[in-house]
Amino acid sequence: MAVTKFIAKRLVQIIVTLILVISVSYIMMYYSPGGFMNTNTMATALAPLQGQNPVLYHQIMEQFQSRYGLNLPLWQQILKYIWHELTFDFGRCRTRPCRSRHS
């Protein structure tokens, strides 16, 4: 009985630790300058379009943010990220055509 209790306690500690580590790493990526999560990179790439057609520019930026979930609150982004990590859903393949479970 003591061994079962010890193992259960350790499993809970492992799960909590993993969730905390994943959350901290996501927050660090979120606030890193110039990272993928930073839409300023996308805005800089589309700067010429902003001057030519501002409506189209805003539509593209909104599509980009909604596609990657950047328009969600940070806590929802973290929960979604943790869920995808725990279910081994790492997104779309870039090298060969395949489908993600959440698309």
Side-chain angles (χ1 to χ4, degrees):
M1 188 57 115
V3 174
T4 306
K5 185 177 179 182
F6 174 77
I7 291 174
K9 184 178 177 182
R10 286 295 185 174
L11 285 174
V12 169
Q13 289 175 345
I14 289 170
I15 291 170
V16 169
T17 303
L18 280 174
I19 289 173
L20 287 173
V21 167
I22 290 171
S23 297
V24 168
S25 69
Y26 186 86
I27 290 170
M28 289 174 61
M29 287 188 303
Y30 183 83
Y31 286 113
S32 67
F36 176 74
M37 305 294 180
N38 188 355
T39 58
N40 289 336
T41 306
M42 185 73 168
T44 304
L46 294 175
L49 181 62
Q50 185 177 16
Q52 296 169 357
N53 191 347
V55 175
L56 181 61
Y57 169 79
H58 288 294
Q59 288 176 348
I60 291 173
M61 288 301 292
E62 288 174 6
Q63 287 176 353
F64 174 77
Q65 290 176 346
S66 67
R67 179 179 190 179
Y68 294 106
L70 300 175
N71 56 350
L72 299 172
L74 182 59
W75 66 271
Q76 285 183 348
Q77 291 180 35
I78 292 171
L79 289 178
K80 185 177 175 183
Y81 179 73
I82 290 172
W83 176 253
H84 290 305
E85 291 288 318
L86 293 175
T87 58
F88 299 104
D89 185 5
F90 301 116
R92 295 179 182 210
C93 297
R94 300 220 185 266
T95 56
R96 58 192 159 94
C98 64
R99 292 196 172 265
S100 173
R101 282 183 253 158
H102 58 82
S103 59

